[in-house]
Amino acid sequence: MKKIFYFLFHRSVLIAFSLLAQLVTLAFMIAVFSEHMQAFYWCCIILSVLAALLIVSSRMEPGYKIAWLILILPFPVFGGVFYLLIGGGTIPKRLQKRMYSIWEQSLKALKDDFKSDDLLPLGGDAAGQANYLEQHAACPAYTNTETEYFPLGDDAFPRILEELEKAEHYIFLEYFIIHNGLFWNSILEILKRKAAQGVDVRLLYDDFGCMFTLPKDYDKQMEACGIKCRVFNRFVPIMSIRLNNRDHRKFLIVDGKVGFTGGVNLADEYINVEERFGHWKDSMILLEGDAVWSMTVMFLSMWDYCSNQDEDFNRFRPPVSPARPWTGYVQPYTDTPLDHEAVSQTVYLNMIAKAKKYIYITTPYLIIDVATNTALCNAAKSGVDVKIITPHIPDKRCVFEVTRAHYPPLIDAGVQIYEYTPGFIHAKNFVVDDRFATVGTVNLDYRSLFLHFEDGVWLCEAPCIQDIRRDFENTLKKSEYVDPHTYHRRSLLKRLYRSILRVFAPLM
């Protein structure tokens, strides 16, 4: 009985009912007014035409345009109004101004580190990628930064605890999901102790990501323990495009000297202490050295945005790190949906376009946009060895079907797709030609590429690239090849179902 009451009165259920009530009320009002007021009916028709024109002329990804137009055209009275309320994505001027001021502050803190021209001896493809991230995302490329790749969250766990114990000045954490258990409680114990010792400990988590894993007042609980805490984009029961913008980034930074990122959230399934969908295959990367300063600025930018404050970032800058042997180039980057720059998508497209020998990809979701689909198909048709590993055991059945709905054009072009049979693969990795790689939080789906705040690390000639490739090859041995002949013998009903899912994938 307790569980039933908990479910019925959980804020997610209340919010869902509130949003549904708003949607039904809106539809009812439009239907009633349209029936009795001819002028109102024609106003709605005009709004729908206006919405369709805005969609067609907008800069949004073609998949979004098609999905919205299919929704609007059969329901011209309701569809246009609904799009203008929910789908337009207009950013308020106040928010634009606030984000721009934080971007300027980040640029000021990092501008002196820009060095993309230094990559020219490695070739125009390397320098071009670095220059793009510097000029359009304010994310510098660094040398003098050691990298360590962890093929599993299980492997990263003890190292995280080890680095946290070394903290002397500050610890910054930013995560999409946090859940009580061995993983988080072990970290929290250290955070509380360090905060009591005077270390500046800050925690930032996404409200939607933690809706089912943390109590609503968890930020107050953390503050009571001496841990500064902020919640990103509180999930409120009001229809708005802003509900879609989540903080999917994952940062753990110690003193500006060591930083972790990757697909791993702070919950027990990510270290295989708890089994939910078979074996959980994820990845993480550790940076130690100059590039961690860029990650620190990324965290502070989001913290100031959530706190509505302006700090002097430079007071967190660590001392100059000791010189190291050649480490390759390391370029942490971040992506925001509040501008018109699809940074993560461009990083992926550039890597695909520059590949000469192979492209190896691991992703939990393969719900790709038109540009990425075309780039992968063209690469495979040109003779590049393109291999993608997705999960065999899904975390969400519907999303899994959407992923499989995107297989056919890739398979027909020669892309080889494998499914990780032991369980769910959550790693978001690209590795290309033993020269380039990226590890981060960015899934190959519309939400990560266009709606979420994300981060990653682009690597050029870094030693750990070999480790990422080896991990892919080892994972391949545990994965099942999606045979084109077998796959194309699906039932007509299954093909129809997946085709419908694929059309509406951008809105899911």
Side-chain angles (χ1 to χ4, degrees):
M1 201 66 178
K2 265 185 174 181
K3 287 184 178 179
I4 294 173
F5 274 105
Y6 173 79
F7 173 77
L8 288 177
F9 292 100
H10 191 274
R11 67 189 181 107
S12 64
V13 176
L14 298 177
I15 288 172
F17 273 118
S18 176
L19 293 173
L20 181 61
Q22 291 175 60
L23 191 61
V24 171
T25 303
L26 178 63
F28 177 76
M29 288 174 62
I30 290 174
V32 170
F33 278 106
S34 297
E35 185 178 346
H36 297 286
M37 295 177 62
Q38 193 173 19
F40 181 80
Y41 172 82
W42 285 106
C43 283
C44 289
I45 294 293
I46 291 169
L47 283 176
S48 291
V49 172
L50 177 63
L53 291 173
L54 288 173
I55 291 168
V56 172
S57 62
S58 72
R59 298 172 60 179
M60 71 172 65
E61 204 279 329
Y64 278 115
K65 295 184 181 183
I66 294 170
W68 272 112
L69 288 172
I70 288 175
L71 280 180
I72 290 173
L73 292 177
F75 310 102
V77 177
F78 175 74
V81 176
F82 184 63
Y83 170 77
L84 293 172
L85 282 174
I86 303 296
T90 303
I91 304 168
K93 292 287 185 184
R94 180 185 58 82
L95 183 57
Q96 290 183 36
K97 186 176 180 181
R98 175 67 183 150
M99 288 301 297
Y100 184 72
S101 67
I102 293 174
W103 184 85
E104 279 190 318
Q105 194 174 3
S106 300
L107 181 62
K108 183 179 177 182
L110 296 170
K111 182 74 174 177
D112 291 341
D113 294 347
F114 286 10
K115 60 175 71 173
S116 60
D117 287 348
D118 291 357
L119 279 77
L120 284 171
L122 300 179
D125 47 357
Q129 179 79 292
N131 183 68
Y132 168 78
L133 287 172
E134 288 185 348
Q135 299 304 317
H136 295 278
C139 299
Y142 293 87
T143 52
N144 201 41
T145 303
E146 293 180 10
T147 53
E148 184 175 353
Y149 174 75
F150 299 96
L152 290 172
D154 321 27
D155 303 323
F157 179 34
R159 186 61 182 276
I160 288 171
L161 301 183
E162 178 187 334
E163 295 300 333
L164 286 172
E165 292 286 7
K166 298 176 185 176
E168 297 177 348
H169 305 291
Y170 58 81
I171 299 172
F172 297 155
L173 298 97
E174 180 179 345
Y175 280 88
F176 182 62
I177 296 173
I178 298 173
H179 195 184
N180 288 322
L182 174 65
F183 195 6
W184 171 237
N185 292 341
S186 301
I187 291 172
L188 184 58
E189 181 184 337
I190 299 174
L191 298 183
K192 290 177 180 178
R193 182 159 30 87
K194 289 294 181 178
Q197 295 170 4
V199 173
D200 183 357
V201 181
R202 303 187 186 190
L203 173 64
L204 177 60
Y205 64 87
D206 185 85
D207 192 44
F208 181 77
C210 296
M211 185 174 290
F212 295 97
T213 60
L214 294 178
K216 185 179 179 181
D217 64 344
Y218 197 70
D219 55 327
K220 294 181 176 61
Q221 294 182 31
M222 292 296 97
E223 295 281 354
C225 298
I227 298 170
K228 299 173 186 176
C229 189
R230 298 291 182 272
V231 183
F232 179 84
N233 197 6
R234 289 271 190 193
F235 207 80
V236 292
I238 299 172
M239 287 194 299
S240 168
I241 190 66
R242 295 283 289 115
L243 295 177
N244 271 325
N245 301 144
R246 310 314 316 176
D247 184 4
H248 196 243
R249 307 194 309 184
K250 299 160 186 70
F251 284 131
L252 192 154
I253 301 164
V254 179
D255 292 342
K257 298 177 180 178
V258 170
F260 293 84
T261 192
V264 177
N265 283 297
L266 304 181
D268 279 357
E269 63 265 31
Y270 291 84
I271 57 171
N272 287 294
V273 171
E274 176 185 347
E275 183 175 317
R276 294 185 64 197
F277 312 107
H279 184 262
W280 194 285
K281 174 78 176 73
D282 215 326
S283 64
M284 227 173 178
I285 189 167
L286 175 149
L287 310 186
E288 185 172 3
D290 294 351
V292 183
W293 169 236
S294 182
M295 296 173 74
T296 306
V297 171
M298 292 173 192
F299 173 87
L300 290 170
S301 297
M302 186 65 85
W303 181 270
D304 280 8
Y305 170 69
C306 294
S307 304
N308 197 28
Q309 64 187 55
D310 293 294
E311 294 182 284
D312 178 10
F313 291 174
N314 282 314
R315 72 187 183 91
F316 297 95
R317 186 186 280 271
V320 177
S321 58
R324 294 172 168 82
W326 172 247
T327 60
Y329 282 94
V330 180
Q331 194 164 15
Y333 61 91
T334 187
D335 197 359
T336 168
L338 301 184
D339 58 20
H340 296 292
E341 194 63 44
V343 173
S344 302
Q345 182 198 38
T346 304
V347 169
Y348 286 166
L349 290 175
N350 284 344
M351 294 180 73
I352 295 167
K354 304 301 182 186
K356 295 179 177 62
K357 298 176 182 177
Y358 73 80
I359 303 166
Y360 294 161
I361 301 169
T362 53
T363 180
Y365 315 115
L366 188 63
I367 309 171
I368 52 178
D369 57 282
V370 174
T372 307
N373 180 82
T374 302
L376 288 168
C377 289
N378 287 344
K381 289 175 181 178
S382 301
V384 177
D385 179 18
V386 183
K387 289 186 172 72
I388 304 174
I389 302 177
T390 63
H392 186 70
I393 299 177
D395 64 336
K396 306 174 190 73
R397 188 72 207 184
C398 181
V399 177
F400 183 59
E401 290 298 329
V402 181
T403 289
R404 285 182 160 178
H406 284 75
Y407 287 178
L410 296 169
I411 290 173
D412 291 343
V415 175
Q416 298 173 59
I417 299 176
Y418 296 78
E419 292 182 349
Y420 180 67
T421 51
F424 186 70
I425 188 161
H426 193 252
K428 308 99 168 37
N429 301 340
F430 268 59
V431 59
V432 173
D433 293 350
D434 285 358
R435 292 193 66 214
F436 308 117
T438 182
V439 178
T441 67
V442 189
N443 298 318
L444 272 176
D445 64 13
Y446 287 85
R447 290 197 160 275
S448 275
L449 294 173
F450 306 113
L451 293 176
H452 288 168
F453 290 81
E454 302 280 359
D455 79 273
V457 178
W458 179 71
L459 303 159
C460 174
E461 306 283 356
C464 77
I465 292 174
Q466 303 298 325
D467 298 327
I468 300 170
R469 177 182 54 78
R470 279 192 289 270
D471 178 40
F472 182 92
E473 292 170 344
N474 290 333
T475 306
L476 204 64
K477 296 172 185 175
K478 304 173 187 174
S479 303
E480 180 180 295
Y481 176 58
V482 178
D483 183 81
H485 302 292
T486 304
Y487 188 79
H488 285 307
R489 287 201 297 268
R490 295 161 296 152
S491 68
L492 179 61
L493 191 62
K494 177 72 79 173
R495 290 202 299 268
L496 179 61
Y497 173 57
R498 288 179 179 172
S499 295
I500 294 170
L501 288 176
R502 181 167 180 172
V503 170
F504 293 104
L507 304 182
M508 292 182 179

